[in-house]
Amino acid sequence: MMMSRRTFLFGASAVAGGMVLLRKPMLAWAGTQSETTPEVTVWVAIQPDDTTIIRVARSDMGQGIFTALPMLVAEELECDWSRVRAEYADTHRNVTTGRPFGNMVTSTSISVRDSHLYLRRAGAQARSMLIAEAAEQWQVPMEECVARAGSVRHPSSGRSVRFGKIASAASQRPVPAAVALKTPDQWRLIGTTVRRHDAKPKVTGGTIYASDVDLPGMLHAAVAACPAHGGKLVRFDAAPVLDMPGVTHVVPVGETAVAVVARSWWQAKKGLDRLEVEWNETAAIGTNTDAMRDTFRAGLDAADVAVGRRVGDVESALLGAARLLESEYEVPHLAHATMEPQTCTARVSGGRAEVWAPTQNGEGTTAVVAATLGLAPSQVYVHKLHLGGGFGRRGRSQDWARMSVQIARQVDAPVKMTWSREEDMTHDYYRPMIVARHTAGFDAYGKLIAWQVRLAGSSIAAVLAPEWLRDGVDYALMDGFSEENFPYPCPAYEVACARRDTVVPVGFWRGVNLSQNGFFREAFVDEMAQASGKDPLEFRRELMHDNPRALRVLNACAERAGWGRRTAGRHQGIAIVEGDYSWCAQVVEVSVSRRGLKIHRVVCVVDPNFIVNPDITTAQMEGGIVQGLAAALMGRITVRDGRVEQRNFHDYPFLRMNEMPKIEVHLLPSMGRYGEQWGGVGETALPPTAPALVNAIHAATGRRIRRLPLSLYDLGAPP
């Protein structure tokens, strides 16, 4: 980015917690502390016209961090919000200079909850230096000056000066050893709905996504990977395709794919359609959805299970129970189906590589490109762009980046690779197919005395993060069941899992393992409530009596939804799940008739502890609910001999506008009442949606839905 030479930067220093204002742009940064990173750079540039540029390390894929993260800095800096602009931090500088900008990964709702402290501290450091400079110029004590809306003011004399006028002089001041952050009751910006800076350009088409990249002399690539997962490329006949209009190259892409390169993507796509390719699909023979289900179900009884949490002697407690309840649950593979299919532009020449990437992890993209090309990370330049949807697909799964540079290094020009929707749907890193079995025991009075959970399925970590495995076990498979703050304490409890990997690649999907475990848990809690002869809400309240934060959210949701106040023909289901330190409860209201299921309303209450921008938080809740409903209603990827059978939105549908229920989101931040940990909001709303929905269907029909999606059932027929 080109900057005016009169821009003055707040840059990084090795001084502990220090912030420095520098006259020379782009030479140093502000050092501060976070919960997880000992020294992090926050780049804040103040221009003479008071425009304040804040660079963010995380990636924006629609979740609003180009607004939320600058809000955290601006709150303490006291700059004029209307003059704030956001940019991406330089990935190359981060990789080659000791990670001054800290962790660039954008996943697990991490952006705000992991960086709020150092972003606020950076703003406070800058404000302190600006106030000190103004006070010295006026010859008054600093304590008599205040910063507000981009100016330093001296109320008793009426004097004021804009930040842009004193940034140069302030840059020469010593770094403050310590700064005090505002308390939540002093916030004026955090917690308010300010206009998103990216809203207008997105609505008007001004935002540049990776699919919009256009470089001089750029060519386009269309890609086809082996249709069967685990298969290999054998050969292809390029000659007929090279004679087609616009086609310049036909090249192999590693051992598993082939690409046609042309002057336009459509020319490349037409060439790819004509290309004769031979594949070796032997490794995938027999990899079918039904066979995987059988393997996973057998894992529920296997001896090689890993125990995630054990309380008491569950086997003895179940043997002594007056009544047993056992149920099996299942969820299918799911695709990410991002609105922007996988794409990346690359230029490889002169011993260096440049990529224009829609990445959730700029450092990860750098590492993959460097390893693929045999380059040092310092020879790779990643230009981050907004993502047309991520949901975990563009984080650790960097196949799109690897393939892009594999193509570009064979072509003497920049190449933009774009997958077709069919390629994107059939070559995803899917949300795993998982099965579960619950066994609960009750005493003669209907009290829960034992609960055993068994899970089986494929491990995400084994595919994308093997370093997370402990002795070969993916303990994250048990998220939602194994935590110390498990919301349903039981005197005898055990959760264990059996890892069963296949050639079908699995990956992080919105909500990750909570996306299925929230369904397994909360739907079975309703079954246990029925077995105990209790209302589902009251059953949860009794078990959660020692968890005031969860109870507060649960009770608020029930109250907002009018739980217990019957409306003719309508029925409700409830669920509550914690994810990323945020509690989210939902009530879904449905009716079921001969015409089928109709979802009338979803009521959502969320407590992420603190909220930066209420409108952004509400939008994230709505988005999670939409995605959760679509998955529960009709999301299903099936496999036959390693080939994914769904290819586009006609057979992997999403919710249409006319199918959407009314969504009511209620924000209930506890503001530190139960601890200081900030929660996330990007994935929080999805896990409770499916269980609340199936619980409502049971209330309406008496039918228990234990296998998703709902499209497998004729809900209009008698159970």
Side-chain angles (χ1 to χ4, degrees), residues 292-553:
M292 286 187 283
R293 178 186 301 111
D294 292 341
T295 298
F296 296 167
R297 290 189 66 195
L300 297 175
D301 296 310
D304 63 328
V305 296
V307 176
R309 186 165 183 241
R310 179 182 286 137
V311 177
D313 186 345
V314 71
E315 297 289 351
S316 296
L318 289 172
L319 285 173
R323 181 183 177 185
L324 292 178
L325 174 67
E326 183 173 287
S327 296
E328 289 191 10
Y329 284 77
E330 177 188 330
V331 295
H333 288 103
L334 293 175
H336 291 83
T338 57
M339 287 296 98
E340 179 186 47
Q342 305 315 304
T343 183
C344 186
T345 299
R347 176 165 52 203
V348 180
S349 64
R352 58 178 274 168
E354 279 187 279
V355 295
W356 288 260
T359 179
Q360 292 180 237
N361 182 359
E363 295 171 292
T365 302
T366 300
V368 166
V369 170
T372 301
L373 300 177
L375 299 175
S378 61
Q379 296 171 286
V380 177
Y381 296 79
V382 174
H383 307 284
K384 288 172 62 175
L385 295 157
H386 282 352
L387 290 69
F391 315 121
R393 179 62 179 90
R394 291 169 159 127
R396 282 191 172 247
S397 46
Q398 298 269 337
D399 50 331
W400 46 269
R402 182 182 64 254
M403 295 173 74
S404 178
V405 297
Q406 285 175 326
I407 297 167
R409 71 178 170 186
Q410 301 177 71
V411 178
D412 188 23
V415 180
K416 179 162 70 176
M417 177 201 70
T418 305
W419 291 15
S420 66
R421 175 61 63 190
E422 289 77 11
E423 190 71 16
D424 187 75
M425 193 72 73
T426 56
H427 292 85
D428 203 346
Y429 281 75
Y430 303 95
R431 199 282 303 272
M433 177 183 180
I434 304 287
V435 299
R437 178 187 295 149
H438 296 279
T439 307
F442 304 86
D443 66 16
Y445 301 97
K447 182 180 179 181
L448 177 67
I449 60 170
W451 185 1
Q452 185 181 67
V453 184
R454 287 286 184 269
L455 304 163
S458 301
S459 164
I460 297 171
V463 177
L464 295 177
E467 68 276 14
W468 293 359
L469 299 174
R470 287 185 284 158
D471 297 324
V473 178
D474 183 357
Y475 285 92
L477 270 171
M478 295 175 277
D479 284 354
F481 287 109
S482 59
E483 292 80 2
E484 289 298 322
N485 62 341
F486 182 66
Y488 304 114
C490 184
Y493 174 80
E494 182 183 273
V495 58
C497 70
R499 176 181 150 198
R500 296 292 184 267
D501 299 330
T502 75
V503 298
V504 178
V506 295
F508 300 102
W509 192 85
R510 194 173 193 172
V512 197
N513 290 297
L514 285 176
S515 70
Q516 73 266 0
N517 290 347
F519 165 63
F520 297 155
R521 188 186 82 192
E522 291 296 303
F524 188 68
V525 168
D526 259 42
E527 291 199 55
M528 292 192 294
Q530 184 182 19
S532 296
K534 294 176 181 176
D535 173 83
L537 173 61
E538 291 304 321
F539 185 75
R540 286 176 171 83
R541 282 172 171 167
E542 290 181 12
L543 291 177
M544 288 181 167
H545 65 275
D546 287 332
N547 194 329
R549 187 180 175 206
L551 267 178
R552 179 171 174 261
V553 173

Side-chain angles (χ1 to χ4, degrees), residues 584-597:
C584 182
Q586 290 175 26
V587 169
V588 175
E589 187 171 287
V590 307
S591 62
V592 181
S593 67
R594 291 182 178 179
R595 290 178 293 180
L597 171 70

